[in-house]
């Protein structure tokens, strides 16, 4: 059942309505994060990185794009020939009715919604989808009935990856965008570091993190690994391969996850982490977001210092 709530236009979208104008809006219920699509000028190098360094499996190559598996889903990452600034993040909704409802809510809130064409849905391996731009300029897709692979993930390199888990998104106004994601898109604040909210859409501590920046785009991409052993093995292996380590090994005081951040193609940052906190339905009854100051110790309780611009502000 969809939760009906009363919202003012200004509170959810940042737009200014006529005096006293309100409407009843149904919150868009996100089921899970689904995939990231990234443009690249050097597809061959991106494929080598995703398989040999990151440890993902090629699902298929077609139409100038390569799709990668990290779990039982059809794919969770797609690199395509295009502008490296072209980033799209997709979230899943449960039913066709919820997808249609999402489009209506977004349009009613002042956002331009694009219905996915059949050929584009086929390229994304979903039954249907819609696209829109969030208040900071991030391209977001909502998808219905994404394909599963029907077989387990089997990488060429065993990095211990158990699946794609969350993204960091750049925000030009963290408070405004927090209101958008929580007011329209059912996300809930788990914790904040300075102005940056860590948002959950299920029991995982966060699936979206909004980091203040001067331009939009995906700020980092997270994959979960099985254990701290996988993180430490990755640290030694990445150093041997001269892949720049940007942060860690360390442990987040917010989610409790142990982590390692490192460079990827076209300036993208990738993260391995393990041990992320879960906030159960029972926990929800009493859970309240915590506020951490915007200092390095709020990102790592072990003392690691980030070499990531958005983590330094």
């Amino acid at each position: 059942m969809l939760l009906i709530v009363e919202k003012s236009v200004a509170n959810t979208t940042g737009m200014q309505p006529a005096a006293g104008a309100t409407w009843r809006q149904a919150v868009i219920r996100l089921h899970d994060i689904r995939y990231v699509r990234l443009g690249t000028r050097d597809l061959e190098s991106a494929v080598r990185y995703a398989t040999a360094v990151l440890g993902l499996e090629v699902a298929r190559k077609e139409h100038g794009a390569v799709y990668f598996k990290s779990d039982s889903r059809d794919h969770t990452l797609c690199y395509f020939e295009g502008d490296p600034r072209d980033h799209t993040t997709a979230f899943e909704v449960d039913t066709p009715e919820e997808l249609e409802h999402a489009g209506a809510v977004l349009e009613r809130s002042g956002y331009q919604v694009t219905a996915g064409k059949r050929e584009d849905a086929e390229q994304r391996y979903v039954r249907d989808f819609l696209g829109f731009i969030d208040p900071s300029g991030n391209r977001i897709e909502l998808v219905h009935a994404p394909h599963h692979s029907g077989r387990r993930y089997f990488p060429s390199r065993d990095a211990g990856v158990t699946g794609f888990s969350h993204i960091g998104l750049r925000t030009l106004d963290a408070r405004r965008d927090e209101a958008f994601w929580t007011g329209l898109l059912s996300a809930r604040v788990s914790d904040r570091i300075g102005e940056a909210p860590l948002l959950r859409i299920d029991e995982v501590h966060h699936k979206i993190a909004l980091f203040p920046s001067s331009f939009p785009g995906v700020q980092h991409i997270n994959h979960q690994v099985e254990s701290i052993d996988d993180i430490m093995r990755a640290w030694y292996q990445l150093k041997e391969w001269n892949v720049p380590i940007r942060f860690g090994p360390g442990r987040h005081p917010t989610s409790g996850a142990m982590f390692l951040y490192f460079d990827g193609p076209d300036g993208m940052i990738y993260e391995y982490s393990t041990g992320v906190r879960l906030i159960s339905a029972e926990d929800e009854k009493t859970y309240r977001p915590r506020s951490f100051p915007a200092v390095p110790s709020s990102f790592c309780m072990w003392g690691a210092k980030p070499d990531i611009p958005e983590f330094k502000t």
Side-chain angles (χ1 to χ4, degrees):
M1 179 179 295
L2 295 171
L3 173 66
I4 306 297
V5 295
E6 190 79 16
K7 294 281 186 183
S8 75
V9 182
N11 285 345
T12 54
T13 69
M15 300 169 60
Q16 293 298 322
T22 62
W23 54 57
R24 292 179 62 79
Q25 296 176 327
V27 173
I28 300 165
R29 186 166 63 88
L30 303 180
H31 174 65
D32 199 0
I33 193 168
R34 194 67 198 186
Y35 57 71
V36 177
R37 294 174 59 86
L38 303 175
T40 181
R41 300 293 189 204
D42 189 344
L43 186 58
E44 183 178 344
S45 292
V47 171
R48 284 199 304 270
Y49 177 91
T51 53
V53 177
L54 195 55
L56 304 186
E57 177 189 1
V58 173
R60 70 184 62 82
K61 301 179 180 181
E62 60 185 19
H63 308 303
V66 182
Y67 301 77
F68 301 92
K69 286 171 56 68
S70 60
D71 49 41
S72 63
R73 289 173 278 194
D74 177 83
H75 72 281
T76 56
L77 175 66
C78 175
Y79 271 108
F80 61 91
E81 295 175 345
D83 189 338
R85 297 170 297 179
D86 189 348
H87 301 171
T88 300
T89 306
F91 296 85
E92 182 182 355
V93 298
D94 282 338
T95 66
E97 292 76 18
E98 288 189 9
L99 186 64
E100 181 180 0
H101 164 79
V105 169
L106 287 163
E107 287 186 336
R108 198 164 60 215
S109 301
Y111 294 91
Q112 182 175 350
V113 176
T114 303
K117 298 178 181 178
R118 181 185 296 274
E119 57 267 31
D120 293 329
E122 290 174 351
Q123 289 178 10
R124 286 157 173 76
Y125 290 85
V126 302
R127 184 175 300 169
D128 200 3
F129 77 101
L130 60 81
F132 65 96
I133 306 297
D134 82 354
S136 280
N138 295 301
R139 187 179 302 277
I140 307 296
E141 293 178 350
L142 302 181
V143 307
H144 166 58
H147 292 190
H148 273 66
S149 69
R151 61 181 181 83
R152 65 185 179 182
Y153 156 64
F154 189 75
S156 57
R157 183 179 89 81
D158 183 10
V161 172
T162 59
F164 168 49
S165 182
H166 74 253
I167 56 159
L169 277 181
R170 302 179 190 275
T171 172
L172 307 186
D173 184 329
R175 292 190 180 186
R176 177 201 62 195
D177 290 0
E178 178 184 315
F180 169 79
W181 284 93
T182 58
L184 288 186
L185 291 169
S186 76
R188 302 176 299 285
V189 179
S190 294
D191 292 311
R192 297 181 184 88
I193 304 175
E195 294 290 310
L198 309 180
L199 305 172
R200 66 188 185 276
I201 57 176
D202 52 23
E203 66 178 4
V204 177
H205 181 273
H206 60 281
K207 291 292 181 74
I208 311 154
L210 303 177
F211 294 108
S213 181
S214 59
F215 57 95
V218 176
Q219 185 262 352
H220 79 267
I221 298 172
N222 170 275
H223 290 85
Q224 293 292 295
V225 294
E226 289 184 357
S227 72
I228 184 62
D229 293 332
D230 295 306
I231 288 176
M232 294 310 302
R233 276 192 287 265
W235 184 70
Y236 283 107
Q237 186 68 78
L238 292 170
K239 286 174 70 68
E240 183 178 326
W241 289 339
N242 295 316
V243 176
I245 304 295
R246 301 297 294 274
F247 191 20
R251 186 165 192 167
H252 291 308
T254 49
S255 68
M258 294 163 281
F259 65 81
L260 182 68
Y261 293 79
F262 48 97
D263 271 355
D266 304 304
M268 183 56 64
I269 301 294
Y270 283 93
E271 178 195 13
Y272 289 153
S273 69
T274 188
V276 65
R277 178 179 183 178
L278 303 181
I279 299 172
S280 68
E282 184 64 27
D283 295 333
E284 286 277 2
K285 298 175 183 177
T286 57
Y287 188 84
R288 296 293 181 272
R290 300 166 297 174
S291 292
F292 293 77
V295 296
S297 61
S298 295
F299 289 93
C300 181
M301 60 195 301
W302 291 350
K305 299 296 193 295
D307 184 21
I308 298 174
E310 293 77 18
F311 292 0
K312 293 180 178 181
T313 58

